[in-house]
Amino acid sequence: MITEYYGVKDNFCEWDYIQGVLKHLDLDDTFKVHVVSVTQEWDYTDKVVLDKEKSNVIIGLADEYMTDNIPQDWKDNATVFKAYLKPEQETGSVHSFPLGYNKKHKKLPCKPIQTRPIDVFFAGHMASTNRRHYLRWIIDYFQDMKKSERPKLDFNITKGFNTGLSSEEYSQRLADAKIVVCPAGNVSMETFRHYEAMRSGAIVVSPKLPDTKIYKDAAICQIDEWETKAGDAIMDLLSDQDMLQLVQERQQQTYNNRFTAKSVAKYINELLPTTK
């Protein structure tokens, strides 16, 4: 397998995750993998030259705007895996690809849900309109609750992306949390936080995620009517520790079967054509 990078370097948040996926790909030298930044700010799509002598695989990263920017040449002559994909864009040779975790996240031992001291955790910014909209409802819900009835909250509002808690602090609090609130990102519903929380064994509570291959029927707590039901859903989960433990186990199965680097490599292999 030959791999080329276009605008994707080791300073990319998902660099470690991508390297794990590539390591597990079972591809011989008849395949060429192109790892490409396709976001509006750093769009390297025009730098990619497909190899006519090989089976081409595209991994498109970083386009949180979810633009329909896959060149027709890729659709016709490659198998494309793109992060931040809308369901209607997942057609033919174009498939959704998980965001993965930020390289600042450290994998710690997964604790049983009952031993975790934090009931509800969030760390992140409120700098974008999208993020403020989804997080504000949760903050107001708990602020309006009597202190005596409030669960143990650990909310850390930062000034921007990748600021605030250190890598070690952030990873440890995810490992100590029963539930992690995963509001939308700047534009998309998807965030690294979804994957970091699952990787830590915490229960993800999220707005509805795109109905693409990677999320369809996933055991992630997704709330359709976020503004009116997210807070109650969190309290319902916390009220039944046995159910919470069961949800953790099911979510861990989803993570292990769909979102680890090894399982994503298997997913890619299964979607590749058997002949060039």
Side-chain angles (χ1 to χ4, degrees):
M1 178 181 78
I2 301 169
T3 306
E4 292 217 7
Y5 299 91
Y6 309 82
V8 177
K9 301 179 181 179
D10 60 5
N11 62 345
F12 250 59
C13 294
E14 58 268 57
W15 177 261
D16 292 350
Y17 185 71
I18 295 298
Q19 294 308 301
V21 172
L22 295 175
K23 183 180 76 172
H24 288 289
L25 279 177
D26 184 21
L27 302 178
D28 59 27
D29 287 342
T30 64
F31 285 87
K32 186 169 184 179
V33 179
H34 310 261
V35 184
V36 193
S37 170
V38 296
T39 191
Q40 293 178 15
E41 296 94 339
W42 301 282
D43 186 356
Y44 285 76
T45 54
D46 61 347
K47 304 296 184 184
V48 177
V49 178
L50 300 183
D51 191 328
K52 295 180 181 179
E53 302 301 318
K54 297 186 183 296
S55 294
N56 292 275
V57 181
I58 308 284
I59 299 178
L61 303 176
D63 180 29
E64 191 178 357
Y65 299 99
M66 303 163 287
T67 46
D68 191 7
N69 58 356
I70 303 298
Q72 191 61 45
D73 184 39
W74 293 8
K75 295 178 182 180
D76 293 340
N77 299 295
T79 307
V80 182
F81 298 88
K82 183 175 182 284
Y84 297 112
L85 200 68
K86 292 180 180 179
E88 60 268 26
Q89 296 168 352
E90 191 172 36
T91 60
S93 63
V94 179
H95 310 280
S96 51
F97 185 83
L99 272 61
Y101 50 83
N102 191 313
K103 62 183 179 180
K104 74 176 280 188
H105 180 250
K106 310 299 180 185
K107 180 74 168 70
L108 299 174
C110 182
K111 299 178 181 179
I113 215 75
Q114 294 88 344
T115 66
R116 294 172 176 240
I118 301 169
D119 288 325
V120 188
F121 174 68
F122 173 81
H125 70 80
M126 292 180 68
S128 70
T129 301
N130 206 37
R131 173 65 58 75
R132 282 197 300 275
H133 171 77
Y134 283 93
L135 192 56
R136 188 75 255 171
W137 292 100
I138 297 296
I139 292 173
D140 290 348
Y141 178 89
F142 287 117
Q143 283 183 338
D144 291 343
M145 185 181 291
K146 293 180 180 178
K147 283 188 177 181
S148 60
E149 299 173 356
R150 215 176 274 165
K152 185 170 182 182
L153 307 173
D154 187 348
F155 277 37
N156 303 263
I157 308 303
T158 65
K159 294 181 179 180
F161 180 66
N162 261 358
T163 62
L165 299 176
S166 69
S167 172
E168 291 73 19
E169 289 174 319
Y170 177 67
S171 302
Q172 185 61 62
R173 295 197 198 181
L174 283 174
D176 284 341
K178 295 182 176 75
I179 291 173
V180 173
V181 178
C182 293
N186 291 333
V187 182
S188 169
M189 288 297 171
E190 300 177 71
T191 69
F192 291 123
R193 184 178 291 100
H194 287 89
Y195 295 87
E196 293 155 1
M198 285 189 283
R199 190 176 184 227
S200 302
I203 305 303
V204 169
V205 173
S206 168
K208 188 74 173 66
L209 292 165
D211 195 23
T212 53
K213 288 187 186 80
I214 59 172
Y215 296 121
K216 192 175 182 64
D217 300 322
I220 298 172
C221 295
Q222 301 177 53
I223 313 300
D224 286 318
E225 299 174 44
W226 181 265
E227 293 85 350
T228 57
K229 295 185 176 179
D232 287 342
I234 290 171
M235 294 305 294
D236 286 345
L237 283 167
L238 291 172
S239 70
D240 187 339
Q241 294 294 298
D242 291 337
M243 177 57 70
L244 201 58
Q245 182 67 51
L246 180 61
V247 172
Q248 182 196 46
E249 292 168 2
R250 289 178 176 172
Q251 184 182 269
Q252 285 296 284
Q253 289 176 354
T254 287
Y255 183 76
N256 292 334
N257 292 336
R258 297 193 188 199
F259 301 129
T260 62
K262 185 175 182 179
S263 60
V264 173
K266 181 174 181 289
Y267 161 79
I268 290 174
N269 281 326
E270 290 173 347
L271 288 170
L272 292 178
T274 55
T275 58
K276 181 162 61 74

